[in-house]
Amino acid sequence: EPEVTQTPSHQVTQMGQEVILRCVPISNHLYFYWYRQILGQKVEFLVSFYNNEISEKSEIFDDQFSVERPDGSNFTLKIRSTKLEDSAMYFCASSPEDRSNQPQHFGDGTRLSIL
Amino acid sequence: EDQVTQSPEALRLQEGESSSLNCSYTVSGLRGLFWYRQDPGKGPEFLFTLYSAGEEKEKERLKATLTKKESFLHITAPKPEDSATYLCAVHSRNQGGKLIFGQGTELSVKP
């Protein structure tokens, strides 16, 4: 069964450094998402992406964050200057359409640790 | 503001002891309610989508139901392999494509 893959599984970075999290969505999907989950808290929406542009973003997704689909398969989340509070699990998700009868499928996440 | 609340936060069952998990939601126009299973260190795994009050979906020992204010995930005769965190999420008409998640119910089934 097709799946969303994320790399790396764990990233340790010094505060203030840039980090790029990578995702390969399911191949025929058109909508892509990033969520994060701080330890012990809810899964929170960050951003959605369709047709090579951001379709929606949350308050968390400030100027330090950016997303890109550099080629036909990868979808990346960049944090320009990491802060301690960026430490979390980051999940990528994809769906074929932006409708409720097409559920979002999640990858296994990248654990980001900021020192 | 759209909100999702799950209860209980944690549930311990003996193998074979049936129970239910609750998901209460407040949204401005429900487009869909989703149940996911999350194992430790893994991403959410899709289980069910429910769209309208009265709808039910079943998969093995799990059955999900929906009313206008809440959803239940019923677990019949659970096994240890059903141990996981179960997440409820909603898709609201006013929130684009994003999912709004509850905090989850951590289920532990002992043999």
Side-chain angles (χ1 to χ4, degrees), chain A residues 33 35 37 41-43 45 56 89 91 98-109 111, chain B residues 4 31-32 34 36 38 41-44 46 49 51 87 91 95-99 101-103:
Chain A
Y33 310 84
Y35 292 81
Q37 186 175 30
Q41 297 187 23
K42 296 183 180 184
V43 176
F45 169 79
E56 188 180 3
M89 282 290 288
F91 294 108
D98 189 21
R99 286 161 42 189
S100 291
N101 64 343
Q102 302 289 345
Q104 295 175 25
H105 294 271
F106 287 76
D108 281 339
R111 180 177 300 281
Chain B
V4 179
R31 289 172 62 187
F34 301 80
Y36 286 85
Q38 186 175 28
K42 299 286 188 180
F46 170 72
T49 310
Y51 301 105
L87 302 174
H91 198 185
Q95 299 285 353
K98 76 178 186 187
L99 294 177
F101 281 85
Q103 73 272 35

Side-chain angles (χ1 to χ4, degrees), chain B:
Chain B
E1 182 183 340
D2 296 336
Q3 264 193 327
V4 179
T5 303
Q6 292 186 246
S7 62
E9 288 187 9
L11 181 62
R12 291 187 176 187
L13 300 174
Q14 288 298 123
E15 186 172 1
E17 181 186 1
S18 301
S19 188
S20 297
L21 282 54
N22 177 265
C23 171
S24 298
Y25 62 90
T26 307
V27 294
S28 46
L30 181 72
R31 289 172 62 187
L33 184 142
F34 301 80
W35 282 99
Y36 286 85
R37 169 188 171 129
Q38 186 175 28
D39 292 299
K42 299 286 188 180
E45 176 189 348
F46 170 72
L47 294 173
F48 303 110
T49 310
L50 301 164
Y51 301 105
S52 56
E55 190 174 0
E56 298 182 354
K57 293 272 179 75
E58 278 190 72
K59 181 180 180 180
E60 295 180 357
R61 295 177 292 282
L62 300 177
K63 183 168 87 171
T65 61
L66 182 66
T67 73
K68 288 186 178 180
K69 294 183 179 179
E70 57 192 349
S71 176
F72 291 94
L73 184 65
H74 306 278
I75 303 177
T76 302
K79 298 182 178 181
E81 53 261 42
D82 294 322
S83 297
T85 296
Y86 290 86
L87 302 174
C88 173
V90 297
H91 198 185
S92 163
R93 290 187 197 284
N94 292 342
Q95 299 285 353
K98 76 178 186 187
L99 294 177
I100 301 165
F101 281 85
Q103 73 272 35
T105 293
E106 185 179 353
L107 174 66
S108 174
V109 182
K110 300 297 182 187

